[in-house]
Amino acid sequence: MPTVTINQKSLTVPEGTTIIQAAEQLNIEIPRYCYHPGLSIAGSCRMCLVEIEKMPKLQPACNTRVTDGMVVTTQSPKVKEAVSGVLEFLLINHPLDCPVCDQAGECYLQEYYMKFGLHDSRMNENKIKRHKAEVIGPHVILDTERCVLCSRCVRFVREVSRSHEIGIFNRGGQSEIRLLPDQVLDNNYSGNVVDICPVGALTDRDFRFQCRVWYLSKADSVCNGCSRGCNITVEANRQRAHHGEGRRVMRLKPRFNKEVNRWWICDIGRYGYKFIDDPSRLIQPLEKQGDELEPLDWSTAAERAVGRIREAKQRGGAGSIVIVASPQLTNEDLFVTRKFFGVDLGIDQIDFRIPDKNTLSDDDFLLRADRNPNTRGAEAILLDGGGFDLQRIIESASTQSFGLLYLCEQDLVKKLGSEPARRFLGQFDYVIYQGSNENETSGLANLVLPAATYAEVNGTFTNFEGRVQRIHAGIEPLGDSLPAWRVICKLAQTAGFDYGYESAAEVFVELAQTVTEFEGLSYEKIGSEGMKLPETQPVPA
Amino acid sequence: MISDRLLAEFDSIVRNYPVRRSALIPILLTTQEHLGYLSDESIAAIARYLNLPAIDVYEVVTFYSMLRRHPVGKHHIQVCTNISCLLLGGEEIFERVSKRLGIKEGETTSDGQFSLAEVECLGACCNAPAMQVNYTYYNDLTAEKVDQILQALQKPEER
């Protein structure tokens, strides 16, 4: 393995490592526009030029491989002059419209100008005018005047999405990013080109002009859009909510995880966060009075729920109660659900599997047909007793009547269709709905308990491969809504079971001690990259 | 849209290259010779023929100025205004052609007979000023010579 010295620091790296990769390991910053670790090497922007001992000319660090004994400097006057010169060329035709540019604050022209440029413009000629603010697809807008022609987006559509919409047209000073005549950038991964664009050339139509990036708070989380469990950052406007008409979550960004999603997420996941701040959010407990749902306070609601559960149990036994959990809930939520209903109340009719009439499919990349983040966790936590089959009750269309249904975070009307959903709900004397958003199903319930969304809670999801990954609350639960596990704790307390959990972390400790598949796991071990359940079988698609 | 005859030519061009996509530029030139320019339709057909994404073909077509995306006149006049020709009156030659035909750079006469382009070096510096009509070179140009050339080109159509 070759040993390289960069700025007097030595490092031994595997054969084939490039200088830019070695420098990254040494925490030495080498500026770059075209280089992206997820794409092929273009070597075209010339920002990463470095000086190598015994080489007469500067070399690009992105496509020069380390050899044994190589001595590199990124600090010599020769390098500084070259990098500053490259930047000056890139800025020649730049419109300098930072005050109205959405990229400002996370723009590598700004960043590198402050670090490596700081020169005055020597450009006396007129700047070349180009296409500005062109809508090129459902999610992306293109400003060719700001483009530095790094070709990251071109390589992305060639190599990652393989959709081939973008190319560099024309030559020399006239070169610019274009699409085929009459074509749009419309594939399920289009949002990624905005992430990888180092400048303000490609911006996100959804996020554009909604919030300056320096007002955003960031929380590490996991996408709830499918069972892949892509790692994301939930970016919220916490201080200036009055600017977004109550919209707190401003965007989701992919977070690198080598084993799950690398640098990417799909558009379905990326733009699937709107429900979090939607007016349909349930923000207080509701009880059906006639045809209307009337607000309640939490303690009354908990008493009502527990009273109804006790009544149903006394009248028809535990067999007259059905608990429908949800693969949208965290492992912690599901564990507390099982503990209260299953262990302490002795209800064994617990399931989470609702047949879905909407046929969804995998794409051949990240998106999975199962659009739930925690199916694997729900199986591990709820089904290890086995036996109860909810699907049979739903599909048999029997007239058997039950006492009470406790339904979590599942829109039965949407999944089963209106008529079958109403028939199923009609089999129960009393229906409690626990969920984050109002929907047709919640409207049919007798009691509604407001739950927080995944962006508002700490916990873990288990993806289809059995990888347990942590999510962190990026914002507070809206209104009086509570994390699902806290809702259940409230009911348990009312019923006389005090679990005493202070946090999701405490729930997880007990979960790992109780559920065999989670044995030995802890938040520390899971870390930011997740950890696979030991000895686990992947769920078939 | 791509005739069988043209397709046969493609087949023989492709045989000259170990990698199929290497035949792209010769195929573009051949198509342009036959059809006058490279339409969106032709480009799509060529991309399919070579198993290339259409965008790759557009990148090549827009990169080379001699590959045209719009039709030109029957006589495509290209006047050099690069250094040697410029010094010996290339711009005046350009103006002469432009005035006589009543068209500007990049335009085509309404009868579709002539189109005019200003080009960089034609490699004829020793006989500057020079111009090229389709693939025929005209050297050591003067205003009179230009008039004669244009007249000769116009003639057959006047008859």
Side-chain angles (χ1 to χ4, degrees):
Chain A
M1 295 214 295
T3 297
V4 61
T5 306
I6 309 176
N7 297 353
Q8 282 92 49
K9 288 191 222 169
S10 289
L11 181 73
T12 303
V13 288
E15 204 78 48
T17 306
T18 57
I19 296 174
I20 210 165
Q21 290 168 331
E24 225 143 69
Q25 289 181 43
L26 289 169
N27 280 325
I28 293 168
E29 184 182 24
I30 297 179
R32 81 285 304 267
Y33 288 115
C34 68
Y35 173 75
H36 187 285
L39 304 170
S40 63
I41 292 169
S44 61
C45 76
R46 318 311 281 181
M47 276 299 280
C48 69
L49 292 174
V50 294
E51 192 167 354
I52 303 171
E53 220 174 75
K54 302 192 184 83
M55 284 206 186
K57 290 174 78 175
L58 301 181
Q59 299 295 320
C62 68
N63 68 357
T64 307
R65 289 178 177 197
V66 162
T67 55
D68 196 38
M70 184 182 264
V71 179
V72 179
T73 173
T74 71
Q75 299 288 338
S76 67
K78 208 168 149 187
V79 173
K80 285 183 177 169
E81 195 191 340
V83 171
S84 165
V86 168
L87 195 56
E88 190 174 3
F89 271 122
L90 289 175
L91 286 167
I92 275 184
N93 285 304
H94 187 276
L96 290 177
D97 55 353
C98 308
V100 295
C101 176
D102 222 38
Q103 189 80 5
E106 53 183 2
C107 171
Y108 281 92
L109 278 172
Q110 291 183 328
E111 201 95 345
Y112 291 157
Y113 176 79
M114 298 310 288
K115 280 185 183 159
F116 307 103
L118 288 177
H119 34 57
D120 290 326
S121 175
R122 292 184 286 177
M123 179 75 174
N124 294 322
E125 290 77 13
N126 290 329
K127 296 193 177 203
I128 298 176
K129 294 261 185 276
R130 297 180 201 277
H131 298 89
K132 279 190 87 70
E134 272 182 290
V135 172
I136 58 168
H139 304 302
V140 182
I141 212 161
L142 168 66
D143 186 315
T144 53
E145 285 190 347
R146 297 176 188 153
C147 177
V148 293
L149 294 170
C150 71
S151 80
R152 281 184 187 181
C153 55
V154 176
R155 282 173 285 146
F156 179 86
V157 297
R158 234 174 238 174
E159 297 161 15
V160 183
S161 71
R162 301 204 180 96
S163 49
H164 301 278
E165 296 99 338
I166 309 176
I168 295 178
F169 282 31
N170 302 322
R171 178 167 45 158
Q174 303 299 321
S175 304
E176 60 179 29
I177 296 292
R178 307 296 310 147
L179 277 73
L180 291 183
D182 306 321
Q183 218 194 5
V184 288
L185 177 67
D186 188 7
N187 66 71
N188 192 29
Y189 293 87
S190 70
N192 291 294
V193 300
V194 174
D195 301 336
I196 59 176
C197 181
V199 299
L202 295 167
T203 48
D204 192 317
R205 292 178 70 188
D206 180 58
F207 177 70
R208 210 168 135 86
F209 305 140
Q210 296 302 306
C211 181
R212 279 303 195 180
V213 298
W214 49 87
Y215 293 119
L216 294 171
S217 66
K218 300 181 184 190
D220 286 359
S221 191
V222 169
C223 179
N224 77 332
C226 82
S227 61
R228 174 76 55 185
C230 291
N231 291 206
I232 56 167
T233 315
V234 174
E235 304 199 0
N237 182 3
R238 301 184 66 150
Q239 299 96 17
R240 295 156 60 94
H242 54 285
H243 279 234
E245 291 171 351
R247 177 172 165 190
R248 299 170 300 164
V249 176
M250 303 310 289
R251 64 180 181 183
L252 305 182
K253 284 280 189 184
R255 180 164 57 89
F256 177 75
N257 187 320
K258 189 166 153 271
E259 304 296 333
V260 182
N261 55 306
R262 311 230 292 160
W263 299 266
W264 326 118
I265 54 172
C266 77
D267 289 354
I268 290 179
R270 182 187 301 266
Y271 303 110
Y273 68 88
K274 299 290 171 67
F275 73 99
I276 296 167
D277 292 315
D278 193 79
S280 68
R281 275 298 295 277
L282 297 163
I283 50 170
Q284 53 192 343
L286 302 167
E287 184 182 42
K288 185 148 282 177
Q289 305 275 2
D291 284 341
E292 296 296 312
L293 285 164
E294 300 293 339
L296 287 182
D297 63 64
W298 261 116
S299 59
T300 317
E303 274 163 28
R304 194 80 86 242
V306 170
R308 288 290 183 164
I309 292 165
R310 279 202 180 120
E311 199 184 307
K313 203 177 163 189
Q314 272 159 17
R315 202 178 293 162
S320 71
I321 299 174
V322 173
I323 312 296
V324 178
S326 165
Q328 286 286 332
L329 298 177
T330 65
N331 294 315
E332 291 76 357
D333 298 334
L334 294 163
F335 177 73
V336 178
T337 303
R338 171 180 120 149
K339 179 172 166 134
F340 176 56
F341 292 111
V343 180
D344 289 337
L345 296 184
I347 299 165
D348 54 11
Q349 298 185 135
I350 304 182
D351 202 347
F352 64 93
R353 294 163 297 182
I354 298 283
D356 197 333
K357 72 179 174 73
N358 310 293
T359 33
L360 301 167
S361 53
D362 289 7
D363 62 9
D364 52 5
F365 188 26
L366 297 175
L367 184 67
R368 308 269 310 167
D370 175 9
R371 298 293 155 81
N372 295 294
N374 202 24
T375 303
R376 187 71 193 77
E379 285 176 347
I381 294 163
L382 299 181
L383 299 185
D384 67 348
F388 179 63
D389 190 356
L390 176 66
Q391 190 157 346
R392 225 184 39 236
I393 300 182
I394 294 172
E395 284 173 352
S396 68
S398 75
T399 50
Q400 190 186 352
S401 70
F402 293 92
L404 183 136
L405 173 69
Y406 193 94
L407 173 62
C408 305
E409 208 71 75
Q410 303 237 33
D411 189 353
L412 298 186
V413 173
K414 200 169 147 198
K415 284 189 174 163
L416 301 173
S418 180
E419 201 269 323
R422 281 164 202 271
R423 192 177 57 219
F424 173 68
L425 293 173
Q427 287 174 259
F428 296 88
D429 295 337
Y430 197 80
V431 175
I432 302 176
Y433 185 84
Q434 170 201 305
S436 62
N437 291 60
E438 191 187 321
N439 53 41
E440 286 193 63
T441 309
S442 73
L444 298 171
N446 301 92
L447 185 68
V448 175
L449 304 176
T453 63
Y454 79 102
E456 298 160 331
V457 304
N458 296 315
T460 53
F461 286 144
T462 312
N463 84 348
F464 75 105
E465 298 170 305
R467 177 175 295 275
V468 183
Q469 306 191 96
R470 292 188 63 185
I471 61 171
H472 299 266
I475 46 175
E476 304 300 317
L478 195 64
D480 288 342
S481 70
L482 292 172
W485 66 268
R486 280 194 193 276
V487 173
I488 308 287
C489 284
K490 229 177 220 322
L491 302 188
Q493 200 172 17
T494 310
F497 304 97
D498 193 351
Y499 300 153
Y501 301 126
E502 295 284 334
S503 64
E506 290 180 20
V507 177
F508 193 83
V509 169
E510 197 178 317
L511 161 64
Q513 286 164 357
T514 315
V515 180
T516 336
E517 285 204 71
F518 284 77
E519 211 178 305
L521 288 188
S522 69
Y523 275 8
E524 291 68 39
K525 282 188 190 164
I526 293 168
S528 60
E529 285 168 16
M531 192 171 176
K532 270 198 179 179
L533 292 174
E535 305 288 317
T536 186
Q537 296 296 317
V539 188
Chain B
M1 70 196 111
I2 299 279
S3 66
D4 290 347
R5 209 181 103 220
L6 198 46
L7 221 50
E9 281 199 42
F10 288 3
D11 290 341
S12 76
I13 292 170
V14 162
R15 278 196 289 275
N16 296 335
Y17 299 91
V19 178
R20 194 173 172 88
R21 61 178 295 156
S22 306
L24 176 59
I25 290 176
I27 281 181
L28 289 171
L29 284 168
T30 305
T31 309
Q32 180 168 281
E33 243 165 78
H34 280 78
L35 305 175
Y37 72 109
L38 297 162
S39 65
D40 289 344
E41 271 189 348
S42 309
I43 290 174
I46 291 167
R48 270 197 305 278
Y49 180 81
L50 292 174
N51 297 325
L52 290 172
I55 194 93
D56 290 14
V57 181
Y58 273 95
E59 287 186 319
V60 171
V61 170
T62 58
F63 185 89
Y64 292 105
S65 57
M66 286 171 74
L67 295 174
R68 298 184 297 263
R69 289 198 48 207
H70 301 286
V72 290
K74 185 179 170 193
H75 306 290
H76 184 44
I77 302 174
Q78 299 146 78
V79 182
C80 175
T81 56
N82 210 311
I83 296 175
S84 305
C85 290
L86 175 90
L87 293 172
L88 290 162
E91 289 197 329
E92 287 75 24
I93 298 296
F94 182 88
E95 281 309 311
R96 187 81 183 184
V97 179
S98 173
K99 270 212 185 96
R100 259 197 80 109
L101 297 174
I103 51 174
K104 296 200 187 78
E105 146 71 30
E107 292 180 351
T108 304
T109 52
S110 53
D111 61 2
Q113 288 299 304
F114 293 95
S115 55
L116 176 60
E118 190 178 351
V119 296
E120 302 309 328
C121 191
L122 290 173
C125 302
C126 51
N127 298 94
M131 72 179 191
Q132 188 184 355
V133 180
N134 298 339
Y135 285 110
T136 313
Y137 269 55
Y138 296 92
N139 300 325
D140 301 312
L141 295 173
T142 59
E144 295 72 37
K145 223 169 159 182
V146 165
D147 291 348
Q148 283 167 20
I149 294 163
L150 292 180
Q151 211 174 356
L153 291 171
Q154 272 164 337
K155 245 185 189 155
E157 269 65 41
E158 281 165 10
R159 269 185 245 139

